[in-house]
Amino acid sequence: YQRNSGQSSCDSCPVGTFNDKEGATLETDCVKCPAGKYAENQGSSTCADCPAGEVSDVGASACTACSAGYYSPGGLAECLPCPVGPHGDATVTMASLSDCVPCELGTYASSAGSAACTACPVGTFSAALGAIECTKCPAGTEGKDPVAIRSSQQASCSDCPAGSYQDIEGEDSCKLCAAGTYQGSPAASECTPCPSGTSSASVGSTDVSACVACGEGLYAPTEGMSECLHCPQGTYQDQTGRDACTACPAGTYVDAFKAVTVTECTACPAGKFAVAGDPCQDCAAGSYQDEIGAEKCKACPAGTFLTQTGGQSAAACALCSVGTFAAVTAENLAAGIGNTVCEPCPAGTYADQE
């Protein structure tokens, strides 16, 4: 272009621009090269396409090579990413999709435009080329380490040994069977609980023989117990390997834990009673008990009452005063329910004796 008259030469358009028209008078007649093209010299009449493997922005004087993991056939403004699975090859010009290399066995590329593939971590493997993710070692196994190439389950995963398990896929180690459990087989995803009536305090047990029968005075109510429990108060156990204790007979009770024989169950004293396995309780008001080892109390006879608890004889039941009465139904008599007060005689009746 030339803006002045009488000149012997024209000015050159700057690099990154071109002018394909004759007789230009202004620098603004020089047009920036579009994206994907470039002009490296001043005074260019055309812009050249970026070569394969390179791209450019608008007004470029040179093209830029695609980053690893990207490619361009040439003449583009932006590089195209290699898809997931393959990766870029730094040893060649990345001119097309075919230049993206599938990930090798034991590696993966989960993102488009990967410059390199990532090695499968411990507990996983990749048995196919171009993997987008690694396969987890199955439950019952653990990841081997170190491993040069995790290219198969056999090369990358080991069965959990007896006495251990793994219930989660893709883990790098197995877990020991907890106390109260065992496992005799390899490649297990869970351990077997000890039967009820037994317990095991050991971890990593490989056989049911580790589950020891509960001794006398002890019990294990559920499977998988790490220790046996003491028989609670009011019960005993005179056998081994039991999942429950036996209640003391009605009318008796034992205060101690871990009772072994029924003889440890002591008879309730007079004035008290006990339902099987329950503590001895005072007889309720209106009743008494003049014997030991009773499972219920006796009702005060008709015509008597008792306001206190724990009555030990019928003599504790007081006679109703004149003008009052206390009736006892057959049902209450059988149930040991007596009267705690006497009632006034209703109109039209009387009682002239206690």
Side-chain angles (χ1 to χ4, degrees):
Y1 69 95
Q2 181 51 259
R3 71 182 68 188
N4 300 313
S5 59
Q7 300 300 309
S8 62
S9 64
C10 295
D11 294 328
S12 298
C13 288
V15 293
T17 67
F18 75 101
N19 182 8
D20 58 357
K21 297 177 181 179
E22 294 181 350
T25 60
L26 299 172
E27 185 176 353
T28 54
D29 292 326
C30 300
V31 182
K32 289 183 178 181
C33 292
K37 296 179 180 293
Y38 73 104
E40 62 179 345
N41 298 316
Q42 294 180 342
S44 296
S45 60
T46 60
C47 297
D49 285 342
C50 286
E54 297 183 11
V55 293
S56 71
D57 292 327
V58 174
S61 61
C63 297
T64 304
C66 291
S67 301
Y70 289 78
Y71 68 94
S72 171
L76 296 183
E78 295 182 352
C79 298
L80 303 174
C82 290
V84 293
H87 67 98
D89 186 352
T91 65
V92 301
T93 298
M94 296 294 294
S96 68
L97 178 61
S98 62
D99 292 319
C100 298
V101 182
C103 288
E104 297 80 8
L105 298 181
T107 67
Y108 72 103
S110 59
S111 301
S114 295
C117 296
T118 304
C120 290
V122 178
T124 68
F125 62 93
S126 171
L129 295 173
I132 63 175
E133 63 180 0
C134 298
T135 303
K136 294 179 179 180
C137 290
T141 68
E142 62 182 355
K144 293 180 180 178
D145 191 41
V147 175
I149 301 176
R150 297 187 173 91
S151 57
S152 66
Q153 179 175 327
Q154 182 177 7
S156 308
C157 312
S158 297
D159 289 344
C160 291
S164 67
Y165 75 104
Q166 182 50 261
D167 55 344
I168 302 174
E169 295 179 342
E171 293 298 296
D172 59 4
S173 62
C174 297
K175 308 170 188 176
L176 289 176
C177 289
T181 68
Y182 67 94
Q183 181 52 258
S185 301
S189 59
E190 61 182 2
C191 297
T192 303
C194 288
S196 58
T198 70
S199 69
S200 173
S202 302
V203 297
S205 298
T206 60
D207 191 79
V208 69
S209 60
C211 305
V212 180
C214 296
E216 295 177 346
L218 303 171
Y219 74 111
T222 62
E223 296 180 335
M225 299 286 290
S226 61
E227 62 179 345
C228 298
L229 305 178
H230 290 181
C231 286
Q233 293 170 307
T235 69
Y236 68 95
Q237 183 50 262
D238 55 5
Q239 300 181 33
T240 60
R242 297 298 171 173
D243 60 5
C245 298
T246 304
C248 285
T252 67
Y253 187 71
V254 58
D255 282 323
F257 292 90
K258 201 181 175 182
V260 173
T261 66
V262 69
T263 58
E264 295 182 60
C265 301
T266 305
C268 294
K272 296 180 180 290
F273 74 103
V275 178
D278 286 351
C280 298
Q281 304 176 55
D282 285 341
C283 290
S287 65
Y288 68 96
Q289 182 51 260
D290 53 2
E291 299 177 274
I292 63 171
E295 62 179 304
K296 66 177 182 178
C297 296
K298 302 173 182 178
C300 284
T304 67
F305 72 101
L306 179 59
T307 59
Q308 303 297 318
T309 61
Q312 298 180 7
S313 68
C317 302
L319 296 174
C320 292
S321 61
V322 293
T324 64
F325 75 104
V328 180
T329 65
E331 182 180 0
N332 283 350
L333 188 64
I337 302 173
N339 291 291
T340 59
V341 295
C342 296
E343 300 179 32
C345 290
T349 67
Y350 70 97
D352 58 359
Q353 297 181 1
E354 291 185 343

